[in-house]
Amino acid sequence: MTRRLPPFPRWRRPTVPPSRAAPIGAFVAALIVLVLPVPVALRAIAALVVGLLVGDAVGRAIVPTRMGVGGRLALSLSIALALPVAVALVLTVSPFGIGRPQLIAAAALVGVLASAVMVRRGTPIGPTFTPLRAPRRLARPAILYLAAVLLVGVAFALRLSATAPGEGLYSSLSISPGSAGDGQVAVEVINHERTTVLYRLELELDGRLIGSTMSALPDGGHWDYRPDTAVAAGQRVEVRLFRSPDLTKLYRDVNATVGVDW
Amino acid sequence: MGHAPSSCARAARRHKRERIVVPPKRPLLGAAPILACVAAVGLLLVGVADDQATVSGWHPNALFWAGILLIFLPHAQRLMMRDVRQGEALALVFTLALALYLVKVLHSPLAFSLHDEFLHWRTTDDIIQTSRLFADNPLLPTSARYPALESATAALVEMGGISIFHAGLIVVAAARIGFIIVLYSTLSVASRSHRVGAIGAVVYMTNPNFLFFNAAFKYETIAFTFAAACVFLALRWSRTRDERIAHGLWVAAILAAGATAVSHHLTAVALTALLGGWSGVVEAMHRRGRARDHRAPWSISLLSALTTFGWIIVAAPVAIAYLAPVIGGAVGQGLALVAGFLGAGRTGSGQRELFGGNQPGGAPPWERMSAFAGVGLVFLASVAGGALILRRRLPDPLLAVLLIGIPAYPATLLLRLTPRGWETANRSSEFFFAALAIPIAIVIAALLLTAIGIRARQLLVGALIGIMFIGGVVAGWSIQDRLPGPYLCCSAPRGVNQESVAAAYWARHNLPPLSRMGADPLNHLLIGSYGRQTAMTTLSGGIDPNWVIFARTFDADARATLADGDVQYLLVDRRVATAADAFDEYLGDWSVATAIAKFDDPRTNRIYDSGSIRIYDVSRIWRGR
C-alpha cells in the first residue's frame, strides 16, 4: 500500500497588504522629496506628510491599542506637534544645531525606529485603509466637501483682492553707509504709490549742493543712488527728495553726520 | 462559574433578533458634508464682511454676524441631535473648529497682525537664524524659554521651505483642531457618552477667546493641545485593565505632560493642578471603597509637577518675574474693587468700562445685552450641570475636580471690571470653559430629554447656545478689532500696516542686527520681530523709550534714559499724534507735535523717512552729554 505524499507546497510571492505598504511608501517618497530640489509647495506638502506619518507611527508604537478614530487622530496630531519640540531640544545641545538636514535625518530615524517597534509587536504600520466597498457612498460627501473647499477659496480670493483706499501709498527715502570705510553714502528710494512716479534727488554736503539727479520708478521699484563724492568723517550729508507732479516741493529728506565708523 | 443560558433567555434573544429592523443606509458622515458647505457659505459671508470693512462699505458687522452664526448654529444644532453617530460627530467637530479658525485667517490672510503673534514670530526667527533654542527675545523673554510652538514652526519652515507666517498658520491649525478633537474624545470618555462629548466641545467653542485670541500664533495654543492630550491619555490609562496597553498610555501621558511643561507656563501649572486634584479625589474615593478606578494617577501628577516646576527653575525662572506682577496686579485690583463694593474702599477707583465704553465705535446695545445674557446662561447652566453631576452616587473623579471651575469662573468675571485684571480674566476663560463644558453639556443633554416637543427643544437649546456664542465673541474681542479696516493708531491689529512693516524690514536689511532701538508700543513689536533689532522694553530689563519719544526736549532725563538703555536708534511714527490720549502719561503740558519736532536736531541723524515713519540715529545725543 502506497501512501500518497501531500502535494509540495507551492512557493507564493509574499504579499504586503496595501494598508501596510501605503504609509511606508508615502513616508519614503516624502523623505525623498524633502532632499530633492523641488518647488516649495511640493516640499511643504512632503514636510507635512512626514510630520504626520512620523507622529502616527510613534503613536502606534507607544499605544498599539484601538482608540477610535478620534482618539487615534488626536494622539497622532499631538505627537506630530510634540516631536519637533523634542528633536529641537536634543539638537540644540548637540554640536549640529537645528537645520534642515538634521531635522530630515531625525524624522527618518524616528520613523524607522517607530516602525521597527511596530513590526516587533506585530502592529499594523500606519493607518489601516479599509477597502472601499461602496465607492458610490463616497461620491456625495466628496463632491460636497469639494464644493465647500471651492467656496472657501472664493472667500479668500475676495478677501485678498480688498485693499483699503489710500492704504500704503508712500515712498521711502533712506541713507546709509555705502560699504565699510570707503567714505561713500548709499541713498535708496522705494516707490509704494501704486503708480509710476518721477523723483528728483538733491544731495548736500555741509550745506553745499553737490548733485541733483532724476529717475522714474514703477510701483515697487527701488532706486539705489550712490553719489561719486566721498564723504569724510564729521561731514553732514543732507538728501532731499522731490516727486512728480511738483518736482520743486520737498517731499522727504534724510540727513546724517558721517561718523568715523562709516 | 458560568452556566448555560436558559431556554427562556434564548427565546428572548431570538425574539429580539427577529424584531430588529434593518435601517436604510445612511449617507456616509451623515449631515457633515452638507454642513461643511453651509459653513463655507458662512465663511464667504465673513470674507465679504472683511472686504466691506476694509473699504468702509456695506454693513460689515451684520455680514460678519450672519457669517459666523451660519457656521456655528447648524453644526451646534446637528451635534445635539440624538441620531448623530460618532463618525459624523467627529467630522462635524472637525469642520466647525476649522471653519472658526478660518474666520481669524480671513481677518489677516497675508501676515500676522495680533500683538502676541509678533512676540512668537521673533522667537521662531531666532531659532532659524541661530539654529539653537533659547536666544534672548527682547519682546517677550518667556517666549524664548517655552519654545514648543516656535520649534514646531521652525521645523516646518526648515523642512518645507515656507515662510514663518505660513508655517505658523499650519501649526496653529493642527494644534487647534488637535485640541478640539482631544477635548471631544476626553469629554466623551469622561462622560461615557460621545453625544455629551460633542456638545461639550461645542460649549467650549463659545468661550470668549476661541474665535480670535486662541487662534493666534502664540504658545498657549499648542500647550492646550498637549495638556488636553495628557488628560485624555491619563483618563484612558486609568480605565484600562490591559497591562501592556496601560504601559503605553502611561508613557504617552507623561510625554504629553512634558511637552506641556516646555510649551506654556500657566497651562503647565493648570495641568499639574488638575492632575493633582484628580489624584486626590481618586485616592479619597479609593480609601472609602468608592473608587472604581483603583489606579490613582499619582505618578502622572508627580511627574507633571516635576517637569513643570523643574523647567521653570532650570530653564525659565524669568516666567516668575513675568507672571508675578500680572497676576499680583490683577488680584490686587480685584480685591480693591470688592472692597469698594463693600464700602471699605473708594468706589470706582481703578474701574474699567466694559465694551469700550460709550465712545463712538463701542459695541451696540444688542451686543452688550447678548454678552451679559451669555455670561448669565453659562453660569446658570454650569450650576445646574454641577448639581446633576453631584446627584450621582459615584461621580467620575475627573468630573468632580472640574466642578471647581463653576464657582471660580464668576469670580474671574469681577476682574473684568479692573484695568489690570481684565486681561487675566479674559485669558483664564479658555481654561475655565474646559471645566464648564461637561456640566453645561449635561444640562443641554437633559434639556433635550424634557417633555416638550423635539423641535421646540432643539430650537430652545439652539437659541441658548447661540446666545452663549454671541456673548463669548462680544466679551472676548472688541468690535473694532473683529473686522479689518482703515489704519487705526496705535495698537494691533489695525495699527499694523504696510508702511510700518516696510520700515521694520528696512531696519533688518540696513542696520546692524540686534542694534538697540526704541519705538512706540506698536512699532516696537515690528522692529523687534521683522526688523530683528533689540527693541527696548521694560519687560526685558531695558528702558521705556516712550519717555524719550514724547519728551519735550532732549533734556538731561531723556539723555540719561537713552544712555541707560544704550539706545542707538529711535523710530518715530508721526501718526501717534492721532491718538495722543493713549500717551497722556508721557506728555506734560506740550503736544505730541512739539515732542516729535525735537528730533530735528543737528545731533540726530534722520536715516529713514517714509512720511509717517522716521528712524533717527540718536547715539550722538547721549554719547556727547
Side-chain angles (χ1 to χ4, degrees):
Chain A
M1 192 175 160
T2 57
R3 194 175 152 211
R4 288 185 64 185
L5 288 169
F8 190 78
R10 280 168 53 194
W11 183 84
R12 284 184 184 172
R13 193 161 59 89
T15 53
V16 180
S19 62
R20 294 189 183 202
I24 298 171
F27 179 63
V28 173
L31 275 178
I32 291 169
V33 167
L34 280 180
V35 294
L36 291 177
V38 293
V40 168
L42 201 59
R43 242 177 82 186
I45 293 169
L48 286 175
V49 168
V50 166
L52 290 174
L53 284 178
V54 172
D56 187 65
V58 174
R60 284 172 198 277
I62 298 175
V63 188
T65 181
R66 283 179 181 276
M67 303 182 77
V69 184
R72 180 57 67 188
L73 188 61
L75 185 64
S76 301
L77 266 177
S78 305
I79 293 178
L81 287 168
L83 274 177
V85 185
V87 169
L89 283 169
V90 172
L91 286 176
T92 203
V93 294
S94 77
F96 311 112
I98 303 160
R100 189 172 162 224
Q102 297 89 313
L103 288 165
I104 294 171
L109 183 69
V110 174
V112 168
L113 282 177
S115 304
V117 171
M118 282 192 283
V119 168
R120 196 175 149 78
R121 283 185 167 177
T123 315
I125 295 173
T128 309
F129 301 109
T130 47
L132 301 176
R133 274 170 292 185
R136 245 189 293 173
R137 286 187 72 204
L138 266 181
R140 182 178 166 274
I143 290 167
L144 287 170
Y145 276 120
L146 190 65
V149 169
L150 287 175
L151 279 170
V152 172
V154 172
F156 272 91
L158 194 69
R159 177 73 188 97
L160 290 171
S161 66
T163 314
E167 184 84 358
L169 299 183
Y170 66 96
S171 304
S172 67
L173 170 69
S174 61
I175 183 169
S176 53
S179 54
D182 65 354
Q184 296 284 315
V185 292
V187 177
E188 186 185 38
V189 179
I190 305 175
N191 177 0
H192 291 286
E193 313 247 6
R194 290 196 212 133
T195 182
T196 300
V197 178
L198 180 64
Y199 295 100
R200 185 168 72 84
L201 271 177
E202 277 184 5
L203 187 73
E204 261 189 22
L205 191 61
D206 280 339
R208 188 168 49 87
L209 185 69
I210 57 165
S212 174
T213 180
M214 289 172 74
S215 180
L217 279 184
D219 181 35
H222 288 235
W223 179 18
D224 285 309
Y225 173 59
R226 286 164 193 258
D228 298 333
T229 314
V231 183
Q235 285 190 304
R236 182 85 173 166
V237 184
E238 179 116 15
V239 181
R240 287 191 287 269
L241 180 71
F242 304 84
R243 56 153 292 176
S244 57
D246 186 356
L247 285 169
T248 57
K249 188 179 167 193
L250 181 66
Y251 179 55
R252 303 263 186 270
D253 68 318
V254 291
N255 49 58
T257 301
V258 177
V260 286
D261 51 342
W262 271 43
Chain B
M1 186 179 148
H3 58 274
S6 67
S7 58
C8 183
R10 275 201 303 271
R13 227 176 287 148
R14 198 182 314 125
H15 179 65
K16 197 176 170 186
R17 259 203 311 273
E18 283 163 3
R19 283 183 56 201
I20 289 174
V21 179
V22 179
K25 269 198 173 173
R26 292 151 56 100
L28 195 65
L29 298 177
I34 191 79
L35 288 182
C37 287
V38 174
V41 174
L43 280 170
L44 193 59
L45 281 177
V46 172
V48 174
D50 288 339
D51 180 47
Q52 291 300 307
T54 308
V55 295
S56 303
W58 191 76
H59 295 293
N61 202 36
L63 285 168
F64 173 81
W65 280 115
I68 60 166
L69 288 177
L70 198 56
I71 295 168
F72 182 79
L73 283 178
H75 278 83
Q77 280 280 7
R78 178 65 190 148
L79 279 166
M80 283 184 254
M81 292 182 182
R82 297 189 72 181
D83 61 336
V84 177
R85 291 185 185 168
Q86 205 165 357
E88 184 185 347
L90 191 64
L92 287 167
V93 167
F94 181 97
T95 313
L96 184 55
L98 181 63
L100 291 178
Y101 175 61
L102 290 179
V103 171
K104 188 264 170 191
V105 180
L106 273 171
H107 182 283
S108 321
L110 290 174
F112 290 132
S113 64
L114 302 184
H115 179 278
D116 288 19
E117 295 181 323
F118 296 104
L119 317 179
H120 300 288
W121 196 100
R122 169 61 186 257
T123 302
T124 313
D125 189 42
D126 281 339
I127 295 171
I128 294 163
Q129 298 294 330
T130 63
S131 300
R132 305 275 169 196
L133 303 177
F134 310 125
D136 285 339
N137 179 342
L139 298 175
L140 183 65
T142 45
S143 160
R145 300 287 153 177
Y146 288 94
L149 173 79
E150 295 89 343
S151 304
T153 309
L156 196 51
V157 170
E158 293 279 3
M159 288 171 70
I162 51 178
S163 68
I164 295 177
F165 171 66
H166 291 112
L169 287 185
I170 293 169
V171 170
V172 171
R176 195 169 152 91
I177 290 168
F179 170 70
I180 285 296
I181 293 173
V182 177
L183 186 74
Y184 159 70
S185 306
T186 310
L187 299 183
S188 302
V189 174
S191 63
R192 298 170 200 269
S193 154
H194 81 263
R195 188 159 168 249
V196 171
I199 297 172
V202 171
V203 169
Y204 184 84
M205 291 186 214
T206 65
N207 95 62
N209 285 334
F210 190 79
L211 193 62
F212 284 107
F213 192 69
N214 277 8
F217 180 66
K218 59 187 183 62
Y219 47 7
E220 292 103 305
T221 311
I222 201 167
F224 277 12
T225 312
F226 296 146
C230 178
V231 175
F232 170 64
L233 292 162
L235 194 61
R236 289 286 305 249
W237 173 68
S238 71
R239 290 193 179 171
T240 190
R241 299 285 175 267
D242 184 332
E243 282 298 324
R244 189 165 146 257
I245 293 164
H247 188 67
L249 287 167
W250 185 84
V251 169
I254 296 299
L255 290 176
T260 313
V262 301
S263 301
H264 184 234
H265 34 72
L266 277 182
T267 310
V269 171
L271 174 68
T272 303
L274 175 66
L275 291 172
W278 182 20
S279 308
V281 172
V282 170
E283 189 66 34
M285 290 173 84
H286 184 58
R287 284 188 184 178
R288 291 180 189 179
R290 292 176 63 191
R292 284 177 290 182
D293 306 321
H294 65 282
R295 292 164 195 272
W298 277 117
S299 56
I300 296 178
S301 307
L302 290 174
L303 283 167
S304 172
L306 199 66
T307 50
T308 299
F309 295 110
W311 187 262
I312 289 175
I313 291 163
V314 174
V318 70
I320 299 167
Y322 169 63
L323 290 173
V326 177
I327 296 172
V331 171
Q333 286 196 344
L335 291 175
L337 187 77
V338 172
F341 284 143
L342 297 175
R346 282 188 300 133
T347 34
S349 61
Q351 280 192 26
R352 172 181 164 265
E353 259 189 302
L354 297 172
F355 310 112
N358 291 318
Q359 74 254 29
W366 76 268
E367 285 193 6
R368 297 173 187 222
M369 284 169 60
S370 303
F372 283 119
V375 168
L377 277 174
V378 167
F379 179 64
L380 288 177
S382 57
V383 169
L388 284 177
I389 291 171
L390 288 176
R391 265 174 52 187
R392 290 182 61 179
R393 200 174 64 86
L394 286 173
D396 185 278
L398 180 64
L399 296 190
V401 177
L402 290 178
L403 293 183
I404 293 169
I406 295 172
Y409 176 64
T412 64
L413 293 177
L414 268 183
L415 293 178
R416 282 182 178 269
L417 298 171
T418 66
R420 292 183 70 180
W422 81 268
E423 193 179 353
T424 308
N426 198 37
R427 290 193 176 205
S428 66
S429 65
E430 57 212 44
F431 293 95
F432 284 115
F433 264 73
L436 301 180
I438 278 209
I440 297 175
I442 287 172
V443 167
I444 289 173
L447 270 177
L448 290 168
L449 291 172
T450 51
I452 55 172
I454 182 77
R455 296 260 179 220
R457 275 180 263 160
Q458 281 173 357
L459 279 176
L460 173 72
V461 173
L464 293 180
I465 205 156
I467 291 169
M468 281 165 58
F469 180 68
I470 294 170
V473 174
V474 173
W477 214 240
S478 73
I479 188 165
Q480 62 189 16
D481 294 340
R482 219 179 281 154
L483 290 160
Y487 175 82
L488 191 67
C489 189
C490 299
S491 62
R494 300 248 311 255
V496 180
N497 76 342
Q498 286 178 20
E499 193 172 349
S500 303
V501 172
Y505 273 109
W506 181 86
R508 185 185 188 97
H509 296 128
N510 292 278
L511 300 179
L514 309 181
S515 298
R516 298 173 78 80
M517 196 165 175
D520 60 86
L522 174 71
N523 282 294
H524 95 274
L525 293 174
L526 299 172
I527 59 165
S529 53
Y530 299 153
R532 196 158 173 72
Q533 304 299 324
T534 304
M536 289 287 103
T537 61
T538 48
L539 199 61
S540 56
I543 54 125
D544 180 353
N546 292 301
W547 288 114
V548 180
I549 293 172
F550 295 102
R552 179 184 240 161
T553 59
F554 286 116
D555 55 14
D557 284 346
R559 292 200 305 273
T561 306
L562 288 173
D564 286 347
D566 196 12
V567 179
Q568 180 154 15
Y569 302 103
L570 280 179
L571 182 149
V572 179
D573 189 336
R574 299 198 299 172
R575 293 169 294 190
V576 292
T578 61
D581 292 352
F583 303 101
D584 263 352
E585 61 174 311
Y586 301 106
L587 292 165
D589 55 356
W590 59 92
S591 66
V592 173
T594 310
I596 289 175
K598 73 175 179 291
F599 284 96
D600 292 325
D601 184 298
R603 293 170 296 172
T604 64
N605 291 344
R606 188 197 292 171
I607 55 175
Y608 177 89
D609 182 2
S610 64
S612 302
I613 293 179
R614 290 173 174 175
I615 298 176
Y616 295 90
D617 180 343
V618 292
S619 53
R620 287 203 310 146
I621 294 273
W622 58 270
R623 281 188 182 142
R625 70 185 169 125

